[in-house]
Amino acid sequence: MRLNVDRLLDSAKELATIIVNGRVEITVLNDIVDAETGMPTELEPTHFKSTSLPEIVALLQERYAGDAAFIVRAPSGTAIVRPPFSEISIFYQVRNDEIECWAGLKLPDAALAQRHAFNVGYLTGLICNASWLTPETGLSGIFELLSGAALIVSRGTFRQVDFLAGAVARLNTSAVSFKDDVASFRQLISASVAHKTRSYGGAFSIECSGGLDSSVVALAAADLHRGRPLSLLNSYSETDVNGDERFFFAALAEQVGGVPTYVETNARSSMTHLSSELLAPTPRPCKLAATIATTAQLHEAAQAAGSRLVLTGDGGDQLFLRMRRLTMARELLAESRSPQEALRDLAGLAIQARASVWRVLREVITGRSGRDLRRHMLGEHRPQSPLASVRPDFGAELVPGARSLRHLPTTRLFQFFGMRHAELNRIALRDIAVEERKAFVFWPLIKAGLVTARRHHHSNGIDRALEREAFREHLPDVIYHRVGKGAGRDMLMRYEYGALVSRVERSALYRQGLISRDLLRSAIDNLSYDSAFALVRLCGVADWMDLHELG
């Protein structure tokens, strides 16, 4: 079995190679950082005491991070290593005795020229849960090398091995003070922004809604790139559910001295289709099917501003525990060091949840919210499509290694699953060369979020306290005290769902027998939020399948 990495090497912005003990060659694609501090680092041959391929791969996964990859050539075989939460997407195709690899979401011309069968098992699961993370893709014979995993080719065989779940399972809770945690998170957020923008110089834009996550990213970028006016992109709609929210964005833009660009959300959004013609062919259907037109507008605006990168705050909600607040009750109580501290933490939780203290105490006793969430992630109560005529394989894990994480507290599972799902929030647009990176998808930062005490995430009645306090002196008050961001059109009014149903009924998805006509018609007659989201997801998969069928 031969491993062809030519396309992967061609995609790298930087290459560096070291030789270990005269027998092992390790090539680094792009910048790497220390997995603990997030600071730039380099490989040193002295770090590797063994020439064993499995041991070298494990050490690379343990010590290094960043939007990078490694190619290891050893006497016993070859491996491609994608560090935890690396945003360098790597796919590979198995043909005869060759494995061909490439980086990026878009299918290379050689793969486009071939006819691929649809992976019906994967598509069935995807219809039910768009966040299902698996090496499989919608095209048979094409796989993704997931972050935190390695593709190992040895003795004529190949396998993909996940290291990330094991690393998370071994993490221990930190015992540092809240003040030290705040300082650490500020440093790690800044380290992530520095890493993700380093190779672009000042040629980047920040997608900023005026919410807490994107504002923190903008503040970190402004501090790192002083003297350069930041390009800030804002999508808005005067018909948003909670009204026009440009006021918050304007406050942030004034604070950082940014150059604002406004994109009207509805300007190119159709009510009868998803604008899938804007997408490039990819191995997976687009998870963000409802935002294609708006994302295209934002990336076009970034390109017009001279940017080659759009940086977002995606993943912040999951990392900093924007969740059903009562779910935290038991864990906050378990961490309390005195009865007085327990009462203060639970009272603060009640205020944030707008619930009575008795309701919080009932959650402590029953643990119902946490139990329901765990069953959603690990158990039998996983999402199902109200429109699918087939059911997915419920033996499959929603993320690799999920079963090894059953011992983790519920909020840590929420963080880890949420950040893994954020990895799938990617759009490949035709004819637009702008890349996208997520500032919070950064392993040193995610690791810190997982090990930090729960009472630091929710401190003195303030939710997302670490994120708020990390940049407190620079955050505009209206954003620091903001409870949440509510922009967005009402999903029930967003599309003409009869047109989407007609679209699905003409698709390869329907012809494959995965969708029931009776269920489609029933969804229109009894439209709910669940069926509306399911219809959009179906239409996204149908558009993707037709793109490949029609070429």
Side-chain angles (χ1 to χ4, degrees):
M1 183 69 68
R2 177 176 176 268
L3 185 60
N4 183 345
V5 296
D6 292 346
R7 292 182 185 275
L8 189 58
L9 292 170
D10 289 344
S11 69
K13 294 181 174 66
E14 294 183 20
L15 289 172
T17 300
I18 65 168
I19 306 297
V20 178
N21 296 328
R23 302 182 66 198
V24 177
E25 179 183 282
I26 305 176
T27 300
V28 188
L29 287 71
N30 302 334
D31 294 334
I32 55 173
V33 299
D34 183 274
E36 296 294 332
T37 67
M39 300 304 292
T41 189
E42 296 179 354
L43 289 186
E44 293 291 343
T46 55
H47 293 169
F48 303 90
K49 299 178 179 179
S50 168
T51 58
S52 162
L53 184 60
E55 290 182 23
I56 288 176
V57 169
L59 187 63
L60 290 171
Q61 292 281 10
E62 179 185 350
R63 296 189 63 160
Y64 303 102
D67 297 337
F70 304 96
I71 299 173
V72 184
R73 296 180 175 90
S76 61
T78 305
I80 301 175
V81 181
R82 186 176 166 194
F85 293 98
S86 166
E87 290 198 80
I88 302 299
S89 300
I90 299 176
F91 292 88
Y92 58 96
Q93 178 178 10
V94 182
R95 295 184 67 201
N96 301 323
D97 61 346
E98 181 176 87
I99 302 173
E100 183 176 5
C101 305
W102 67 88
L105 298 177
K106 299 177 182 179
L107 281 168
D109 292 340
L112 276 174
Q114 302 160 16
R115 298 293 294 180
H116 296 276
F118 291 124
N119 184 343
V120 176
Y122 169 78
L123 294 173
T124 301
L126 189 70
I127 289 168
C128 295
N129 191 333
S131 295
W132 182 29
L133 187 69
T134 170
E136 293 187 58
T137 71
L139 300 176
S140 295
I142 295 181
F143 305 88
E144 181 171 5
L145 175 57
L146 302 178
S147 81
L151 175 64
I152 300 175
V153 181
S154 178
R155 298 183 179 89
T157 64
F158 70 95
R159 66 191 189 279
Q160 183 172 156
V161 182
D162 176 72
F163 291 83
L164 185 49
V168 171
R170 295 189 295 271
L171 294 176
N172 296 312
T173 303
S174 168
V176 304
S177 68
F178 177 74
K179 182 178 179 181
D180 288 342
D181 261 344
V182 167
S184 175
F185 272 84
R186 175 164 183 144
Q187 183 270 318
L188 288 169
I189 292 170
S190 296
S192 175
V193 172
H195 171 69
K196 291 175 184 289
T197 61
R198 184 174 294 117
S199 61
Y200 299 90
F204 67 92
S205 297
I206 297 175
E207 186 180 330
C208 187
S209 62
L212 184 60
D213 296 328
S214 58
S215 297
V216 162
V217 173
L219 287 168
D223 186 51
L224 290 165
H225 297 270
R226 295 179 186 178
R228 294 177 180 171
L230 284 182
S231 169
L232 301 176
L233 309 176
N234 176 258
S235 61
Y236 74 94
S237 172
E238 295 178 357
T239 60
D240 278 345
V241 176
N242 291 331
D244 190 344
E245 298 190 324
R246 280 175 287 178
F247 166 75
F248 298 99
F249 172 74
L252 188 278
E254 182 180 359
Q255 176 68 30
V256 302
V259 179
T261 299
Y262 293 92
V263 169
E264 212 288 320
T265 303
N266 299 317
R268 282 168 54 183
S269 297
S270 170
M271 294 189 69
T272 60
H273 61 84
L274 304 181
S275 302
S276 296
E277 71 278 1
L278 300 174
L279 296 177
T282 58
R284 297 184 190 273
C286 177
K287 179 186 173 187
L288 305 176
T291 67
I292 295 169
T294 301
T295 301
Q297 288 179 266
L298 288 166
H299 284 209
E300 287 171 359
Q303 195 163 262
S307 296
R308 294 181 290 119
L309 172 74
V310 171
L311 191 63
T312 78
D314 196 10
D317 287 348
Q318 293 75 26
L319 181 61
F320 294 106
L321 294 176
R322 187 185 182 195
M323 62 189 303
R324 190 175 179 184
R325 292 178 176 88
L326 293 184
T327 306
M328 299 181 66
R330 281 189 164 188
E331 293 177 45
L332 286 175
L333 182 63
E335 288 185 355
S336 299
R337 293 162 294 188
S338 68
Q340 292 83 0
E341 186 174 86
L343 287 172
R344 184 178 67 246
D345 288 343
L346 294 180
L349 192 64
I351 293 169
Q352 283 291 321
R354 298 182 181 181
S356 69
V357 173
W358 302 113
R359 172 83 183 278
V360 176
L361 289 176
R362 186 168 69 221
E363 177 61 33
V364 169
I365 294 169
T366 65
R368 180 177 178 180
S369 293
R371 185 172 62 252
D372 290 347
L373 183 56
R374 294 181 73 88
R375 292 170 74 182
H376 179 84
M377 293 184 288
L378 299 171
E380 67 278 11
H381 283 189
R382 298 180 187 174
Q384 294 188 34
S385 172
L387 309 175
S389 57
V390 292
R391 289 291 178 257
D393 175 12
F394 285 102
E397 299 174 308
L398 291 186
V399 301
R403 294 185 185 90
S404 67
L405 304 174
R406 290 181 179 275
H407 66 286
L408 291 183
T410 302
T411 59
R412 287 182 170 84
L413 284 175
F414 173 84
Q415 287 175 298
F416 181 63
F417 275 65
M419 297 310 294
R420 295 243 65 178
H421 294 162
E423 292 185 75
L424 292 171
N425 293 347
R426 309 171 296 193
I427 291 183
L429 296 164
R430 291 183 185 270
D431 305 321
I432 298 180
V434 174
E435 297 182 65
E436 183 175 297
R437 294 285 184 268
K438 306 171 185 66
F440 296 113
V441 179
F442 186 61
W443 176 228
L445 178 59
I446 294 169
K447 188 189 301 186
L450 288 166
V451 303
T452 296
R454 307 295 92 174
R455 66 179 184 276
H456 291 177
H457 281 288
H458 190 285
S459 178
N460 293 322
I462 300 174
D463 70 330
R464 307 173 74 161
L466 290 166
E467 187 180 18
R468 295 179 196 273
E469 291 298 323
F471 290 86
R472 175 66 183 98
E473 69 271 28
H474 300 299
L475 268 177
D477 285 345
V478 293
I479 296 175
Y480 176 85
H481 294 290
R482 196 175 183 187
V483 175
K485 178 169 64 69
R489 287 173 290 174
D490 188 321
M491 199 62 184
L492 295 182
M493 306 297 294
R494 188 163 186 173
Y495 295 102
E496 294 177 10
Y497 287 97
L500 296 191
V501 166
S502 297
R503 166 73 192 88
V504 170
E505 288 179 337
R506 298 192 304 270
S507 70
L509 179 68
Y510 186 77
R511 294 193 296 275
Q512 292 272 345
L514 302 181
I515 303 302
S516 163
R517 187 176 189 278
D518 291 339
L519 291 175
L520 282 174
R521 293 300 170 183
S522 176
I524 291 296
D525 295 339
N526 305 282
L527 192 64
S528 65
Y529 284 102
D530 283 345
S531 58
F533 280 107
L535 272 170
V536 171
R537 190 160 60 242
L538 274 181
C539 201
V541 175
D543 287 349
W544 176 86
M545 292 179 74
D546 284 358
L547 177 65
H548 283 280
E549 264 205 344
L550 300 173

